[in-house]
Amino acid sequence: MAVLASRALTRIALRTVMAQSSGVEIVAEATTPFQLQHAVAVKRPQALLLDDADPAWDTAEVLRGLRENAGRRVGVVILADAGALDDALAYLCDGADGVVLNDDAPAEVATAIRAVAAGHAVVPPPLARRLVDLVGVRRPAMPAQDQMAALTAREQEIFELVIKGMSNQEVAQTLVLSERTIKFHVSNLLRKLGVRNRTQAIVYARDRRLLPGPAPCVNP
């Protein structure tokens, strides 16, 4: 059983596709937060498709509400914009079970809903790459102390700004250096720390208590 909480055209397309295939029955559709809460409480669906682009609700708030009510466990698939993968990653951290992109074919979205209803997780390839990067940072090539000691004073200074979320341009302005110089130093420090990108650098810092906040999930 599934609940569709999305814009009208998406609901119509999915209703048509899923009516032609077996596996999951659409038991309710929601266009307001109240309808959504009522559908989950009364129908107790196995899966919920939540359209992140629908202005009717706040996706993060919906996920928090579902997470806090253990008696209404439901697998959540987020319909996300391909240009907002950072948000999609945050939703997975908040408890979503799958992500599909709003330019995916209705049949693909329907397949994802069935998979999540069966207890599986589903993510598009671009987001899977992000997740692999986050997992990869868990296995440093050398002890953390040696990695940090390998950084020059300037690289450590830049690293502290990078893990605060600053862009290369912002770091350059803060240190009164050229953006090209900052890019050079960032490339070097990432290599020395054994991480591939800024996302992994932030996870690295949180794992080692160099930055406040939980380590497992981070907004890149």
Side-chain angles (χ1 to χ4, degrees):
M1 298 188 297
V3 170
L4 303 181
S6 61
R7 290 160 292 178
L9 288 177
T10 302
R11 294 198 311 275
I12 293 170
L14 286 174
R15 191 190 311 131
T16 301
V17 170
M18 297 183 76
Q20 298 172 350
S21 61
S22 60
V24 178
E25 174 192 4
I26 298 175
V27 295
E29 298 178 16
T31 58
T32 68
F34 175 78
Q35 290 178 348
L36 177 55
Q37 293 170 5
H38 184 266
V40 171
V42 175
K43 299 297 184 179
R44 296 190 176 276
Q46 297 166 293
L48 162 66
L49 176 73
L50 188 60
D51 187 348
D52 186 45
D54 194 321
W57 43 69
D58 182 313
T59 300
E61 185 176 330
V62 172
L63 288 171
R64 280 193 296 270
L66 292 172
R67 186 177 64 236
E68 291 167 2
N69 196 328
R72 298 176 189 170
R73 174 68 181 123
V74 54
V76 181
V77 179
I78 304 295
L79 182 60
D81 188 285
L85 291 183
D86 289 353
D87 289 340
L89 181 58
Y91 295 146
L92 290 175
C93 292
D94 284 340
D97 302 276
V99 173
V100 289
L101 303 180
N102 56 16
D103 58 357
D104 285 344
E108 294 179 77
V109 178
T111 297
I113 294 173
R114 283 194 291 269
V116 168
H120 303 297
V122 178
V123 293
L127 191 54
R129 176 71 263 173
R130 301 280 188 96
L131 293 173
V132 169
D133 285 344
L134 290 175
V135 172
V137 76
R138 304 298 177 184
R139 296 186 175 87
M142 66 176 74
Q145 296 87 343
D146 294 341
Q147 290 175 311
M148 289 301 297
L151 301 183
T152 65
R154 176 63 82 184
E155 288 168 349
Q156 290 186 25
E157 186 178 23
I158 293 173
F159 178 59
E160 291 175 1
L161 298 178
V162 166
I163 62 178
K164 290 179 180 178
M166 286 191 181
S167 65
N168 286 346
Q169 183 179 21
E170 291 170 331
V171 174
Q173 291 173 347
T174 300
L175 299 181
V176 194
L177 294 170
S178 72
E179 190 171 346
R180 182 176 180 179
T181 297
I182 298 302
K183 289 176 67 175
F184 173 78
H185 285 303
V186 168
S187 177
N188 280 342
L189 72 87
L190 292 179
R191 175 179 52 78
K192 291 178 180 179
L193 294 178
V195 297
R196 296 191 186 98
N197 50 45
R198 301 166 80 93
T199 299
Q200 286 194 355
I202 295 174
V203 176
Y204 176 100
R206 288 190 174 174
D207 277 348
R208 290 152 185 82
R209 301 297 186 267
L210 301 176
L211 189 67
C217 283
V218 52
N219 293 334

